[in-house]
Amino acid sequence: MNGAWVTFKKELFAYLVSPVSWLIAVLFYLMRGYELSRLVAHFADNRLDQELLPTLSYGLTSTFLMVMLVPGILTMRCFAEERRTGSIETLLTAPVRDVDVVLGKWGAAAVFYGLLWLPSVLVLHVLEYGWFLDADLAFGPVFAAYLGMFLLAGLLLAFGCFASSLTDNVLLAALLTIIFCFGLLRLPNLVAGSVDVAGNYYLRELLDKLDVMRNFAEWFARGLIDTSQVVFYLGGIGFFLFLTGISLQSRRIA
Amino acid sequence: MIAVSDLTKKYGAFVAVDRLSFEVTRGEIVGFLGPNGAGKTTTIRVLTGYHPSTSGTATLAGFDVAKDSLSVRKNLGYLPQEVPIYPELRVVEYLRYRAALKGVPAKGRKLAVERAMDKAAIADVARKLVGNVSHGYRQRVGLADALVANPPILILDEPTSGMDPNQRLRIKQVVKDLAAEHTVLFSSHILAEVQDVSSRVIVIHRGRLRADGKPHELLAQGASSRVFVAARTGAQALAAALAPVPGLLAQASDGEALGIARAHCTFAPGGDPAAAVGAQLLAAGIAVCELRPDLPSLESWFHAITEGCEVETVR
């Protein structure tokens, strides 16, 4: 595991010194700050149930962009850039297992993604203790919501690593990931809307299980953690990291 | 330390390396020569485990590159032709990262990095960003990376490419000094470098082995039947005096200046043509100024064996 840890540290450092990462953070918080202030004002004006606030903040455009665009941007360089510059050759000829490289890179992307969300905890603090609101936040749903977000992000980042290992074109890698994110989030919904699934039990169940957006609204955001969904995301993460490892190993196999 | 047997690498229908076999023993510095596109880098990539071979085997330090790649890589320091860069890291940070990746224990890491930087003479750029150092320095950063874990085998792919003459001289000295502790295989298409540094050269062309031996022996084998002579006489008189020498196939006059005529003679293989020429000129009463086996230049020898004419392929 030494290789994974060393790769993780180096990759996390690369994220922390990359201007792109900071640009994402700045844009995200500018947008999110504006949206949250609007949302809070809306709640205050209309005397809505304060406990719904974390749930509703899920639906903000900034959340959507964080899930749709950011995984692709964060992971596009993982392997594509190494392939483009040729540093993949020194990396893969070092005495480190491919699986360690994959875990290190994905771990760094996941932790950095977590760091991007970290300041949003401050918003909870403001909501809980702010003088202008008398909210009594339920932290259970908040915790479940964060967990769900990280599981989903972990899956998208794992796919991003895989896409990045397929090409030496970083833009193509980002695009593939964004298409996947869009597909995962929107496709079940679109299919269910355009095909008559009422009579087809299996299709309906499948689409139901795959509908990430609805799962979030009905489970994680309400503080409900469904083991089958946790397994779904963890399995997806493992699956795509495995594919990434295979993609790296393929150059060693005749 | 390195054993390659019948190694073949094909890219589709194109055969990049064709049944290549050679060995490198412990403590040798072997120059791996060939024109551009000869298959040097492909061979090296197979040896480092970066690419698989199509057929044949290769072992480094006793481990098969295909079956036990990780063990091979633990015993190997590799400098690729184009040293890749992580522009965001400083030189010393990059080397520390590489040392950690190669499993150098945390305790000895600082020392290992300093020692590698000393050997590659890059201590003066230690705090610079890797992306900001010149090409020559970057190449030496790559060399320091190959050395940092102190592996028994070093494979250097064109270590001096893109360097100025001073840097080249320094790298050659570094490589020479490595022989004490390491087995070195380094590729180049610059012949003079290989001759200065290596104890043996392997020449490949179009993926095939063309020559394998000590540099001066290979040259001498190709040159044994040619003699250069300079004597204090006229060009025609010299030609006439040389004509009866046994085994003479051809002679080419190199002109006459300040009363000294020069000529290159080609003899049939075997015998000692220089001695025969000396004896003949002595008998003819001509004062000999210079008489030596006519070594082809390294360049012409290289051209000959890689283009497959003039000089016989030597093994």
Side-chain angles (χ1 to χ4, degrees), chain B residues 213-258:
Chain B
K214 294 194 164 74
H216 61 274
E217 282 177 9
L218 292 176
L219 277 180
Q221 281 179 50
S224 58
S225 55
R226 284 166 65 95
V227 168
F228 171 80
V229 60
R232 193 165 289 283
T233 180
Q236 285 180 346
L238 180 63
L242 288 172
V245 177
L248 182 73
L249 297 177
Q251 57 167 312
S253 173
D254 210 6
E256 181 190 335
L258 301 170

Side-chain angles (χ1 to χ4, degrees), chain B residues 26 84 107 118 121 128 211 215 243:
Chain B
R26 188 183 293 270
K107 250 186 188 171
D118 268 354
K128 275 195 174 185

Side-chain angles (χ1 to χ4, degrees), chain A residues 2-3 6-7 10 13-14 17 77 82 85-97 251-254, chain B residues 45 48-53 69-70 73-74 78 80 84-86 88-89 93-94 97-98 100-103 145:
Chain A
N2 169 60
V6 174
T7 310
K10 188 243 154 206
F13 177 78
V17 297
R77 293 177 74 235
E82 300 244 19
T85 62
S87 55
I88 190 105
E89 192 172 347
T90 40
L91 182 62
L92 295 185
T93 52
V96 53
R97 294 180 306 162
R251 70 181 62 243
R252 291 199 222 276
I253 301 164
Chain B
R45 282 184 168 164
T48 56
Y50 184 62
H51 279 332
S53 62
S69 169
L70 199 64
R73 287 180 272 150
K74 278 182 185 156
Y78 171 44
I85 47 167
Y86 292 117
E88 72 272 9
L89 294 181
E93 288 166 348
Y94 175 70
Y97 155 67
R98 294 290 298 177
L101 199 64
K102 292 175 178 185
D145 168 23

Side-chain angles (χ1 to χ4, degrees), chain A residues 58-77:
Chain A
Y58 247 128
L60 297 178
T61 314
S62 56
T63 311
F64 191 68
L65 291 180
M66 259 315 252
V67 174
M68 280 295 200
L69 297 181
V70 173
I73 296 171
L74 284 187
T75 53
M76 64 182 181
R77 293 177 74 235

